[in-house]
């Protein structure tokens, strides 16, 4: 017998808004209040949504709600779709008026954020109704958000040419080095050689491993280092593991200085290693007026700094 395909669920944006609010609030009552609905009305909407999907989206565990596998899938898309629709609503409502709306920027912690921050200030001085939304994460996570339209730009180090993207290189670079305890024997050195870390525990980001930055610097010594941990973004792991002497952490000089940790020190690599910084955006996507104003400000600052 030929198989009969299951009917595809018909999802509308309002139902996705309701479901997202329910998950965020954790209760029907809390979500109903945030949506300005009655509790019975929202309960019916959630029941209808489960009927459309053809499976339970969540189960109750005491006072908490646990999503099913289909619930987790739906939430992931609901977050993206609702964010995109709300941004479109904001941009359309301001179309034809003074530049306003959101600019969404993904970043790690490169030195280029100084230029980005200055560009944001210039835009806000001229267009006070613009809002900036910053997101941190791994390169893979940020590019996924860029591809789906949830980000306008990514600020990154180790910029490489990618088909389908535009990029603006910035006149700044990130200097690589090692973070360690101030009383570590290697802290007595002014710089760190690859051979200094042979047999020692190291910590670095997964992006750096993938890009091959450290392997290019260390050569054969890289395989003699003990890679005990990796991280995806941010400086908290760098500070914590280094402070307890668990690992020597590879990071940017600017990232270490911003973290301001006590009891730690930074030593540059020898030979010196730097990564170029830039801003990346989708080639095929038209930028909003607010995003265009931000990009123009970045370009102007780059010309002045060159």
């Amino acid at each position: 017998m030929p198989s009969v395909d299951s009917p595809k669920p018909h999802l509308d944006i309002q139902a996705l808004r309701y479901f997202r609010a329910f998950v965020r609030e954790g209760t029907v009552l809390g979500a109903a209040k945030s949506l300005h609905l009655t509790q019975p009305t929202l309960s019916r909407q959630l029941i209808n949504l489960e009927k459309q999907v053809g499976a339970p989206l969540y189960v109750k565990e005491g006072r908490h709600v646990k999503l099913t596998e289909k619930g987790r899938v739906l939430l992931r898309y609901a977050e993206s779709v609702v964010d995109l629709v709300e941004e479109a609503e904001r941009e359309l409502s301001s179309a034809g008026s003074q530049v306003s709306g959101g600019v969404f920027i993904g970043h790690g912690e490169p030195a280029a954020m100084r230029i980005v921050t200055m560009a944001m200030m210039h835009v806000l001085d001229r267009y006070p109704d613009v809002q900036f939304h910053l997101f941190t994460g791994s390169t893979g996570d940020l590019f996924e958000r860029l591809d789906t339209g949830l980000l306008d730009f990514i600020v990154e180090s180790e910029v490489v040419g990618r088909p389908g993207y535009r990029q603006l290189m910035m006149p700044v670079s990130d200097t690589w080095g090692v973070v360690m305890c101030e009383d570590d024997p290697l802290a007595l050195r002014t710089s760190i050689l690859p051979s200094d870390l042979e047999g020692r525990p190291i910590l670095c980001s997964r992006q750096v491993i993938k890009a091959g930055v450290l392997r290019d610097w260390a050569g054969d010594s890289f395989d003699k280092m003990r890679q005990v941990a990796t991280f995806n973004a941010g400086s908290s792991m760098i500070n914590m593991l280094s402070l307890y002497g668990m690992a020597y952490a590879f990071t940017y000089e600017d990232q270490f200085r911003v973290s301001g940790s006590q009891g730690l020190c930074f030593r540059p690599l020898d030979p010196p290693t730097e990564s170029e910084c830039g801003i990346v955006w989708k080639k095929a996507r038209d930028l909003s007026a607010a995003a265009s104003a931000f990009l123009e400000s970045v370009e102007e600052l780059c010309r002045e700094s060159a």
Side-chain angles (χ1 to χ4, degrees), residues 50-107:
E50 287 188 320
K51 288 180 180 179
Q52 291 174 2
V53 173
L57 297 174
Y58 62 93
V59 294
K60 292 183 178 179
E61 294 186 348
R63 296 183 179 181
H64 303 285
V65 169
K66 181 179 180 180
L67 294 179
T68 63
E69 179 61 30
K70 287 202 172 183
R72 288 191 291 271
V73 171
L74 183 63
L75 178 63
R76 187 171 73 249
Y77 285 101
E79 294 278 8
S80 299
V81 171
V82 174
D83 283 347
L84 283 172
V85 170
E86 290 179 349
E87 176 58 21
E89 291 171 346
R90 286 191 293 269
E91 189 170 331
L92 289 171
S93 67
S94 64
S97 61
Q98 184 175 352
V99 175
S100 61
V103 181
F104 296 78
I105 304 170
H107 65 94

Side-chain angles (χ1 to χ4, degrees), residues 34-56:
S34 71
L35 294 166
H36 305 291
L37 299 173
T38 64
Q39 187 172 348
T41 298
L42 181 57
S43 294
R44 287 195 299 271
Q45 294 289 339
L46 294 174
I47 291 172
N48 289 338
L49 184 59
E50 287 188 320
K51 288 180 180 179
Q52 291 174 2
V53 173

